[in-house]
Amino acid sequence: MNTTTPFKNKVIKVVSKIPYGCVASYGQVALYCGAPRAAREVGWTLNRMENVDEVPWWRVVNNTGRITIKGSSFSADMQRILLRAEGLIISEDFTFNIEEYRWKPGTDVMQF
DNA sequence: GTTGTGACGCCCA
DNA sequence: CTGGGCGCCACAA
C-alpha cells in the first residue's frame, strides 16, 4: 500500500467488495467505513486514489441514482459506459434505478 | 492549530 | 419537477 490513511484503506476495501453488476451510494460506502456522514470523503478519497485498477470506483454513485462526477481523470460518461458494460440500464441523463442495483452487503463485509 | 475543499445527503422554496 | 442552500466528515496545505 501507499500513503496509508485508515479511511482510505477502508474505502478501497469496501468499494472493491461491490459485486459485479451492483452499485453502492457514497453514503453506503461511508457507512461501512465507519463514517456515516463522510460520503463526501469517499468521493474525495477516490479522486486522489492511485490504484484505480483495484477499486471499481464506477460502482459508486450518489444516493439519488445519478452519476454526479465532477472533474476527475474519468468523466461521468466513462462511468456510464462502464456501468452499462455490467448490465445496468442507465439513462442518457446519467440516472438509473439505484434501488434495482443497490448493493446489499453480507456478513463477509462487516468484518472491520 | 487553522483554513479550505470535495465524485454527497437532505431539507426547503 | 427544478434550483438553492446548509450540514457533515476527513484530509491536504
Side-chain angles (χ1 to χ4, degrees), chain A residues 37-57:
Chain A
R37 294 168 178 108
R40 312 185 77 191
E41 264 319 283
V42 177
W44 183 64
T45 300
L46 290 174
N47 187 5
R48 57 188 340 281
M49 188 166 301
E50 313 159 355
N51 42 342
V52 291
D53 29 315
E54 297 182 12
V55 183
W57 56 267

Side-chain angles (χ1 to χ4, degrees), chain A residues 26 40 43 47 57 67-76 79:
Chain A
Y26 295 96
R40 312 185 77 191
N47 187 5
W57 56 267
I67 299 172
T68 56
I69 279 187
K70 296 202 293 192
S72 67
S73 303
F74 305 95
S75 63
Q79 184 171 7

Side-chain angles (χ1 to χ4, degrees), chain A residues 23-38:
Chain A
V23 297
S25 67
Y26 295 96
Q28 272 188 284
V29 177
L31 178 64
Y32 306 137
C33 287
R37 294 168 178 108

